[in-house]
Coordinates of all heavy atoms in Angstrom, one line a residue:
M29 N 30.4 4.6 -1.7 CA 29.3 4.6 -0.7 C 28.5 3.3 -0.9 O 28.1 2.9 -2.0 CB 28.4 5.9 -1.0 CG 27.3 6.0 0.1 SD 26.4 7.5 -0.2 CE 27.4 8.7 0.5
A30 N 28.3 2.6 0.2 CA 27.5 1.4 0.2 C 26.1 1.7 -0.1 O 25.5 2.8 0.1 CB 27.7 0.7 1.5
L31 N 25.3 0.7 -0.6 CA 24.0 0.8 -1.0 C 23.1 1.3 0.2 O 22.3 2.2 0.0 CB 23.4 -0.6 -1.6 CG 22.1 -0.5 -2.1 CD1 22.1 0.4 -3.4 CD2 21.7 -1.9 -2.6
G32 N 23.4 0.7 1.4 CA 22.6 1.1 2.6 C 22.8 2.6 2.9 O 21.9 3.3 3.3
D33 N 24.0 3.1 2.7 CA 24.4 4.5 2.9 C 23.7 5.4 2.0 O 23.1 6.5 2.4 CB 25.8 4.8 2.9 CG 26.6 4.1 4.0 OD1 26.1 3.7 5.1 OD2 27.8 3.8 3.8
T34 N 23.6 5.0 0.7 CA 22.9 5.7 -0.3 C 21.5 5.7 0.0 O 20.8 6.9 -0.1 CB 23.2 5.1 -1.7 OG1 24.6 5.0 -2.0 CG2 22.5 5.9 -2.8
M35 N 20.9 4.6 0.4 CA 19.4 4.6 0.8 C 19.2 5.7 1.9 O 18.1 6.4 1.9 CB 19.0 3.3 1.2 CG 18.9 2.3 0.0 SD 18.6 0.6 0.4 CE 16.9 0.8 1.1
E36 N 20.0 5.7 2.9 CA 19.8 6.6 4.1 C 19.9 8.0 3.6 O 19.2 8.9 4.1 CB 20.9 6.3 5.2 CG 20.5 5.1 6.0 CD 19.1 5.0 6.5 OE1 18.7 6.0 7.2 OE2 18.4 4.1 6.2
S37 N 20.9 8.3 2.7 CA 21.0 9.7 2.1 C 19.7 10.1 1.4 O 19.2 11.2 1.6 CB 22.1 9.8 1.2 OG 23.4 9.7 1.9
L38 N 19.1 9.1 0.6 CA 17.9 9.4 0.0 C 16.7 9.6 0.9 O 15.9 10.5 0.6 CB 17.6 8.2 -1.0 CG 18.5 8.1 -2.3 CD1 18.3 6.8 -3.0 CD2 18.3 9.3 -3.2
R39 N 16.6 8.9 2.0 CA 15.6 9.1 3.0 C 15.6 10.4 3.6 O 14.6 10.9 4.1 CB 15.7 8.0 4.0 CG 15.2 6.7 3.6 CD 14.9 5.8 4.8 NE 14.8 4.4 4.5 CZ 13.8 3.9 3.8 NH1 12.8 4.6 3.4 NH2 13.8 2.6 3.4
G40 N 16.7 11.1 3.5 CA 16.8 12.5 4.0 C 16.1 13.5 3.1 O 16.0 14.7 3.5
V41 N 15.6 13.1 2.0 CA 14.9 14.0 1.0 C 13.5 13.7 1.1 O 13.0 12.5 1.0 CB 15.5 13.7 -0.5 CG1 14.7 14.5 -1.5 CG2 16.9 13.9 -0.5
A42 N 12.7 14.7 1.2 CA 11.2 14.6 1.4 C 10.6 13.7 0.4 O 9.7 12.8 0.7 CB 10.6 16.0 1.5
L43 N 11.0 13.8 -0.8 CA 10.4 13.0 -2.0 C 10.6 11.5 -1.7 O 9.7 10.7 -2.1 CB 11.1 13.4 -3.3 CG 10.8 12.6 -4.5 CD1 9.3 12.9 -4.9 CD2 11.7 13.0 -5.7
F44 N 11.7 11.1 -1.1 CA 12.0 9.7 -0.9 C 11.7 9.2 0.5 O 11.8 8.0 0.7 CB 13.4 9.4 -1.3 CG 13.8 9.7 -2.7 CD1 14.7 10.7 -3.0 CD2 13.2 9.0 -3.7 CE1 15.1 11.0 -4.3 CE2 13.5 9.3 -5.1 CZ 14.4 10.4 -5.3
A45 N 11.4 10.0 1.4 CA 11.4 9.7 2.8 C 10.3 8.6 3.2 O 10.6 7.7 4.0 CB 10.9 11.0 3.6
S46 N 9.2 8.5 2.4 CA 8.2 7.5 2.7 C 8.3 6.3 1.8 O 7.4 5.4 1.8 CB 6.8 8.1 2.7 OG 6.6 8.6 1.4
F47 N 9.3 6.2 0.9 CA 9.4 5.1 0.0 C 9.7 3.8 0.8 O 10.5 3.8 1.7 CB 10.6 5.3 -0.9 CG 10.3 6.0 -2.3 CD1 9.5 7.1 -2.3 CD2 10.9 5.5 -3.4 CE1 9.2 7.8 -3.5 CE2 10.7 6.3 -4.6 CZ 9.8 7.3 -4.7
P48 N 9.0 2.7 0.4 CA 9.4 1.4 1.0 C 10.8 1.0 0.6 O 11.3 1.5 -0.3 CB 8.3 0.5 0.4 CG 7.2 1.3 -0.1 CD 7.8 2.7 -0.5
D49 N 11.3 0.1 1.4 CA 12.7 -0.3 1.1 C 13.0 -0.7 -0.3 O 14.0 -0.3 -0.8 CB 13.1 -1.4 2.1 CG 13.4 -0.8 3.5 OD1 13.6 0.4 3.6 OD2 13.5 -1.7 4.5
E50 N 12.2 -1.6 -0.9 CA 12.5 -2.2 -2.2 C 12.6 -1.1 -3.3 O 13.6 -1.1 -4.0 CB 11.6 -3.3 -2.5 CG 12.2 -4.2 -3.6 CD 13.6 -4.7 -3.3 OE1 13.9 -5.1 -2.2 OE2 14.4 -4.8 -4.3
P51 N 11.6 -0.2 -3.4 CA 11.6 0.8 -4.4 C 12.9 1.8 -4.2 O 13.5 2.2 -5.1 CB 10.3 1.6 -4.4 CG 9.4 0.6 -3.7 CD 10.3 -0.3 -2.8
L52 N 13.1 2.1 -2.9 CA 14.2 2.9 -2.6 C 15.5 2.3 -2.9 O 16.5 2.9 -3.4 CB 14.2 3.3 -1.1 CG 15.1 4.5 -0.7 CD1 14.8 5.7 -1.4 CD2 15.2 4.7 0.8
R53 N 15.6 1.0 -2.7 CA 16.8 0.2 -3.0 C 17.1 0.4 -4.6 O 18.2 0.5 -5.0 CB 16.7 -1.2 -2.6 CG 18.0 -2.0 -2.7 CD 17.9 -3.5 -2.4 NE 16.8 -3.9 -1.3 CZ 16.9 -3.6 0.0 NH1 18.0 -3.1 0.5 NH2 15.9 -4.0 0.8
L54 N 16.0 0.3 -5.4 CA 16.2 0.4 -6.8 C 16.7 1.7 -7.2 O 17.6 1.9 -8.1 CB 14.9 0.1 -7.5 CG 14.4 -1.4 -7.5 CD1 13.0 -1.5 -8.0 CD2 15.4 -2.3 -8.2
V55 N 16.2 2.8 -6.6 CA 16.6 4.1 -6.9 C 18.1 4.2 -6.5 O 19.0 4.8 -7.3 CB 15.8 5.2 -6.2 CG1 16.4 6.6 -6.3 CG2 14.4 5.2 -6.7
A56 N 18.4 3.8 -5.3 CA 19.8 3.9 -4.7 C 20.8 3.0 -5.7 O 21.8 3.5 -6.0 CB 19.9 3.3 -3.3
F57 N 20.3 1.9 -6.1 CA 21.1 1.0 -7.0 C 21.5 1.8 -8.3 O 22.5 1.6 -8.8 CB 20.5 -0.3 -7.3 CG 21.3 -1.2 -8.1 CD1 22.4 -1.9 -7.5 CD2 21.1 -1.4 -9.4 CE1 23.2 -2.7 -8.2 CE2 21.8 -2.3 -10.2 CZ 22.9 -3.0 -9.6
G58 N 20.5 2.5 -8.8 CA 20.7 3.2 -10.1 C 21.4 4.6 -10.0 O 21.6 5.2 -11.0
S59 N 21.8 4.9 -8.8 CA 22.4 6.2 -8.6 C 24.0 6.1 -8.8 O 24.5 5.0 -8.8 CB 22.2 6.7 -7.2 OG 22.9 5.9 -6.2
E60 N 24.6 7.2 -9.0 CA 26.0 7.3 -9.2 C 26.6 8.4 -8.3 O 26.0 9.5 -8.3 CB 26.3 7.6 -10.7 CG 27.7 7.8 -11.0 CD 27.9 8.2 -12.5 OE1 27.0 8.1 -13.3 OE2 29.0 8.6 -12.8
R61 N 27.6 8.1 -7.7 CA 28.3 9.1 -6.8 C 29.3 9.9 -7.6 O 30.2 9.3 -8.3 CB 29.0 8.4 -5.6 CG 29.6 9.4 -4.7 CD 30.2 8.6 -3.5 NE 31.0 9.4 -2.6 CZ 30.6 10.1 -1.6 NH1 29.3 10.0 -1.2 NH2 31.4 10.8 -0.9
I62 N 29.2 11.2 -7.5 CA 30.1 12.1 -8.1 C 30.7 13.0 -7.1 O 30.0 13.3 -6.1 CB 29.6 12.9 -9.3 CG1 28.4 13.8 -8.8 CG2 29.1 12.0 -10.5 CD1 28.0 14.8 -9.9
V63 N 31.9 13.4 -7.2 CA 32.6 14.3 -6.3 C 33.1 15.4 -7.1 O 33.8 15.3 -8.1 CB 33.8 13.6 -5.6 CG1 34.5 14.5 -4.6 CG2 33.3 12.4 -4.7
R64 N 32.8 16.6 -6.6 CA 33.3 17.8 -7.3 C 34.1 18.6 -6.2 O 33.8 18.7 -5.1 CB 32.1 18.7 -7.8 CG 31.3 18.0 -8.9 CD 32.1 18.0 -10.1 NE 31.4 17.5 -11.3 CZ 31.5 16.3 -11.8 NH1 32.3 15.4 -11.3 NH2 30.8 16.0 -12.8
R65 N 35.1 19.3 -6.7 CA 35.9 20.2 -5.9 C 35.3 21.6 -5.9 O 34.5 22.0 -6.8 CB 37.3 20.4 -6.5 CG 38.1 19.1 -6.3 CD 39.5 19.3 -6.9 NE 40.4 18.1 -6.5 CZ 40.4 17.1 -7.4 NH1 39.7 17.0 -8.5 NH2 41.2 16.0 -7.1
K66 N 35.6 22.3 -4.9 CA 35.1 23.8 -4.8 C 35.4 24.5 -6.1 O 36.5 24.4 -6.6 CB 35.8 24.4 -3.6 CG 35.2 25.8 -3.4 CD 35.8 26.4 -2.1 CE 35.2 27.8 -1.9 NZ 35.7 28.4 -0.6
G67 N 34.3 25.2 -6.6 CA 34.5 26.0 -7.8 C 34.2 25.2 -9.1 O 34.0 25.8 -10.1
Q68 N 34.1 23.9 -9.1 CA 33.8 23.2 -10.3 C 32.2 23.3 -10.6 O 31.4 23.3 -9.7 CB 34.0 21.7 -10.1 CG 35.4 21.3 -10.3 CD 35.6 19.8 -10.3 OE1 35.4 19.1 -9.3 NE2 35.9 19.2 -11.4
R69 N 32.0 23.4 -11.9 CA 30.6 23.6 -12.4 C 29.9 22.1 -12.4 O 30.4 21.2 -12.9 CB 30.5 24.2 -13.7 CG 29.1 24.4 -14.2 CD 29.1 25.2 -15.6 NE 29.6 26.6 -15.2 CZ 30.5 27.2 -16.0 NH1 31.0 26.6 -17.1 NH2 30.8 28.4 -15.7
L70 N 28.7 22.0 -11.9 CA 27.9 20.8 -12.0 C 27.2 20.8 -13.2 O 27.0 19.7 -13.9 CB 26.9 20.7 -10.8 CG 27.5 20.4 -9.5 CD1 26.4 20.5 -8.4 CD2 28.2 19.1 -9.4
F71 N 26.5 21.9 -13.7 CA 25.7 21.9 -14.8 C 25.6 23.4 -15.2 O 25.9 24.3 -14.4 CB 24.3 21.3 -14.6 CG 23.5 21.9 -13.5 CD1 22.7 23.0 -13.7 CD2 23.6 21.4 -12.2 CE1 22.0 23.5 -12.7 CE2 22.8 21.9 -11.2 CZ 22.1 23.0 -11.4
T72 N 25.1 23.6 -16.4 CA 24.8 25.0 -16.9 C 23.4 25.2 -17.1 O 22.7 24.3 -17.6 CB 25.6 25.2 -18.3 OG1 27.0 24.9 -18.0 CG2 25.4 26.6 -18.8
A73 N 22.9 26.4 -16.6 CA 21.5 26.7 -16.8 C 21.1 26.6 -18.2 O 21.8 27.1 -19.1 CB 21.2 28.1 -16.2
G74 N 19.9 26.0 -18.5 CA 19.4 25.9 -19.8 C 19.8 24.6 -20.5 O 19.3 24.3 -21.6
A75 N 20.9 23.9 -20.0 CA 21.3 22.7 -20.7 C 20.3 21.6 -20.3 O 19.6 21.6 -19.3 CB 22.7 22.3 -20.2
P76 N 20.1 20.6 -21.2 CA 19.2 19.5 -21.0 C 19.6 18.8 -19.7 O 20.8 18.6 -19.5 CB 19.4 18.6 -22.2 CG 20.0 19.4 -23.2 CD 20.8 20.5 -22.6
A77 N 18.6 18.4 -18.9 CA 19.0 17.6 -17.7 C 18.6 16.1 -17.9 O 17.5 15.8 -18.4 CB 18.1 18.2 -16.6
F78 N 19.5 15.3 -17.6 CA 19.4 13.9 -17.7 C 19.3 13.2 -16.4 O 19.1 12.0 -16.3 CB 20.5 13.3 -18.6 CG 20.5 13.9 -20.0 CD1 21.4 14.8 -20.3 CD2 19.6 13.5 -20.9 CE1 21.5 15.3 -21.6 CE2 19.6 14.0 -22.2 CZ 20.5 14.9 -22.5
T79 N 19.5 13.9 -15.3 CA 19.6 13.3 -14.0 C 19.2 14.3 -12.9 O 19.2 15.5 -13.2 CB 21.0 12.7 -13.7 OG1 20.9 12.0 -12.5 CG2 22.0 13.8 -13.6
G80 N 18.9 13.9 -11.7 CA 18.8 14.8 -10.5 C 20.1 14.6 -9.8 O 20.9 13.6 -9.8
L81 N 20.4 15.6 -8.9 CA 21.5 15.6 -8.1 C 21.2 15.7 -6.6 O 20.3 16.7 -6.3 CB 22.5 16.8 -8.4 CG 23.0 16.8 -9.9 CD1 23.7 18.1 -10.2 CD2 24.0 15.7 -10.1
L82 N 21.7 14.9 -5.8 CA 21.4 15.0 -4.4 C 22.7 15.5 -3.7 O 23.7 14.8 -3.9 CB 21.0 13.5 -3.8 CG 20.8 13.5 -2.3 CD1 19.8 14.4 -1.8 CD2 20.6 12.1 -2.0
V83 N 22.6 16.5 -3.0 CA 23.8 17.0 -2.2 C 23.9 16.2 -1.0 O 22.9 16.1 -0.1 CB 23.6 18.5 -1.9 CG1 24.9 19.0 -1.1 CG2 23.4 19.3 -3.2
V84 N 25.0 15.5 -0.8 CA 25.2 14.6 0.3 C 26.0 15.3 1.4 O 25.8 15.2 2.6 CB 25.8 13.2 0.0 CG1 26.2 12.4 1.2 CG2 25.0 12.5 -1.0
E85 N 27.0 16.0 1.0 CA 27.8 16.8 1.9 C 28.3 18.1 1.2 O 28.4 18.1 0.0 CB 28.9 16.0 2.5 CG 30.0 15.5 1.5 CD 31.0 14.6 2.2 OE1 30.7 13.6 2.6 OE2 32.2 15.1 2.2
G86 N 28.7 19.0 2.0 CA 29.1 20.3 1.4 C 27.9 21.2 1.0 O 26.8 21.1 1.5
A87 N 28.2 22.1 0.1 CA 27.2 23.0 -0.4 C 27.4 23.3 -1.9 O 28.5 23.2 -2.4 CB 27.3 24.3 0.4
V88 N 26.3 23.7 -2.5 CA 26.2 24.0 -3.9 C 25.6 25.4 -4.0 O 24.5 25.7 -3.5 CB 25.4 23.0 -4.7 CG1 25.4 23.4 -6.2 CG2 26.0 21.7 -4.6
E89 N 26.4 26.3 -4.7 CA 25.8 27.6 -5.0 C 25.1 27.6 -6.4 O 25.7 27.2 -7.3 CB 26.9 28.7 -5.0 CG 27.4 29.0 -3.7 CD 28.5 30.1 -3.6 OE1 29.0 30.4 -4.7 OE2 28.8 30.7 -2.5
L90 N 23.9 28.1 -6.4 CA 23.1 28.2 -7.7 C 23.2 29.6 -8.2 O 22.9 30.5 -7.5 CB 21.7 27.8 -7.5 CG 21.5 26.3 -6.9 CD1 20.0 26.1 -6.5 CD2 22.1 25.3 -7.7
R91 N 23.7 29.7 -9.4 CA 23.9 31.1 -10.1 C 23.1 31.2 -11.4 O 23.1 30.2 -12.1 CB 25.4 31.4 -10.3 CG 26.2 31.4 -9.0 CD 27.7 31.5 -9.4 NE 28.5 31.3 -8.2 CZ 28.7 32.3 -7.3 NH1 28.2 33.5 -7.5 NH2 29.4 32.1 -6.2
A92 N 22.6 32.4 -11.7 CA 22.0 32.5 -13.0 C 23.0 32.7 -14.1 O 22.7 32.4 -15.3 CB 21.0 33.7 -12.9
G93 N 24.1 33.2 -13.9 CA 25.1 33.5 -14.9 C 26.3 32.5 -14.9 O 26.4 31.7 -14.0
M94 N 27.1 32.6 -16.0 CA 28.2 31.7 -16.1 C 29.4 32.2 -15.3 O 30.3 31.4 -15.0 CB 28.5 31.5 -17.6 CG 27.5 30.9 -18.5 SD 27.4 29.1 -18.4 CE 28.9 28.8 -19.3
E95 N 29.4 33.4 -15.0 CA 30.6 34.0 -14.3 C 30.6 33.8 -12.8 O 29.5 33.8 -12.2 CB 30.7 35.5 -14.6 CG 30.7 35.9 -16.1 CD 31.9 35.3 -16.8 OE1 33.0 35.3 -16.2 OE2 31.8 34.8 -17.9
R96 N 31.7 33.4 -12.2 CA 31.8 33.3 -10.8 C 31.4 34.6 -10.1 O 31.1 34.5 -8.9 CB 33.2 32.8 -10.4 CG 33.3 31.3 -10.9 CD 34.6 30.7 -10.3 NE 34.8 30.9 -8.9 CZ 34.3 30.2 -7.9 NH1 33.3 29.4 -8.2 NH2 34.6 30.5 -6.7
A97 N 31.6 35.7 -10.7 CA 31.3 37.0 -10.0 C 29.8 37.2 -9.9 O 29.4 38.1 -9.1 CB 31.9 38.1 -10.8
T98 N 29.0 36.4 -10.6 CA 27.5 36.5 -10.6 C 27.1 36.1 -9.1 O 27.5 35.0 -8.6 CB 26.8 35.6 -11.6 OG1 27.3 35.9 -12.9 CG2 25.4 35.7 -11.6
P99 N 26.3 36.9 -8.5 CA 25.8 36.6 -7.1 C 25.0 35.3 -7.1 O 24.3 35.0 -8.1 CB 24.9 37.7 -6.6 CG 25.1 38.8 -7.7 CD 25.7 38.2 -8.9
A100 N 25.2 34.5 -6.1 CA 24.4 33.2 -5.9 C 23.0 33.5 -5.7 O 22.7 34.4 -4.9 CB 25.0 32.4 -4.8
L101 N 22.1 32.8 -6.3 CA 20.6 33.0 -6.1 C 20.2 32.1 -4.8 O 19.3 32.5 -4.1 CB 19.8 32.4 -7.3 CG 20.1 33.0 -8.6 CD1 19.4 32.3 -9.8 CD2 19.6 34.5 -8.6
A102 N 20.9 31.0 -4.6 CA 20.7 30.2 -3.4 C 21.9 29.4 -3.2 O 22.7 29.1 -4.1 CB 19.5 29.4 -3.7
T103 N 22.1 28.9 -2.0 CA 23.1 28.0 -1.6 C 22.3 26.8 -0.9 O 21.6 27.0 0.0 CB 24.1 28.6 -0.7 OG1 24.8 29.7 -1.3 CG2 25.2 27.5 -0.3
V104 N 22.5 25.6 -1.4 CA 21.9 24.4 -0.9 C 22.9 23.5 -0.3 O 24.0 23.4 -0.8 CB 21.0 23.7 -2.0 CG1 19.8 24.7 -2.4 CG2 21.8 23.3 -3.2
G105 N 22.5 22.7 0.7 CA 23.4 21.8 1.3 C 22.9 20.4 1.4 O 22.0 20.1 0.6
P106 N 23.4 19.6 2.3 CA 23.0 18.2 2.3 C 21.5 18.0 2.5 O 20.8 18.7 3.1 CB 23.6 17.7 3.6 CG 24.9 18.6 3.8 CD 24.4 19.9 3.3
G107 N 21.0 17.0 1.6 CA 19.6 16.7 1.6 C 18.8 17.4 0.5 O 17.7 17.2 0.2
A108 N 19.5 18.4 -0.2 CA 18.9 19.1 -1.3 C 18.9 18.3 -2.5 O 19.9 17.6 -3.0 CB 19.6 20.5 -1.5
L109 N 17.7 18.3 -3.2 CA 17.7 17.5 -4.5 C 17.5 18.6 -5.6 O 16.7 19.4 -5.6 CB 16.4 16.7 -4.5 CG 16.2 15.8 -5.7 CD1 17.4 14.8 -5.9 CD2 14.9 15.0 -5.6
I110 N 18.5 18.6 -6.4 CA 18.6 19.6 -7.5 C 18.1 18.9 -8.9 O 18.7 17.9 -9.2 CB 20.0 20.1 -7.7 CG1 20.5 20.7 -6.4 CG2 20.1 21.2 -8.9 CD1 22.0 21.1 -6.4

């Protein structure tokens, strides 16, 4: 994803919407794109967090338990910052 595309994705998040171009460019430059397949775990509840995750496309189900059978607490889509 090009830097300009990343900046536009970030502008879709309320936290970053009013950032001037230069600070937003720095945030975008420091970002990393990851792709996950359906069913892959992004993180485990209670584990230390070292980054935030911005959903650009698709959806992420948030669950309290480790089992896939655990009901989703929420489902978030594009523009969600986790």
Side-chain angles (χ1 to χ4, degrees):
M29 183 178 279
L31 189 60
D33 294 337
T34 303
M35 289 174 65
E36 286 309 307
S37 293
L38 290 169
R39 283 200 196 284
V41 176
L43 175 68
F44 300 115
S46 63
F47 270 41
D49 282 348
E50 199 53 37
L52 190 64
R53 189 179 335 281
L54 292 172
V55 172
F57 184 76
S59 70
E60 177 183 348
R61 181 178 172 91
I62 60 171
V63 177
R64 295 290 188 254
R65 290 186 175 84
K66 185 176 182 176
Q68 278 187 295
R69 182 174 294 134
L70 290 174
F71 58 87
T72 302
F78 299 104
T79 188
L81 300 170
L82 172 63
V83 180
V84 176
E85 62 182 67
V88 175
E89 289 184 342
L90 303 173
R91 300 175 186 278
M94 298 277 288
E95 301 300 320
R96 289 191 43 80
T98 305
L101 299 172
T103 300
V104 297
L109 183 62
I110 303 171

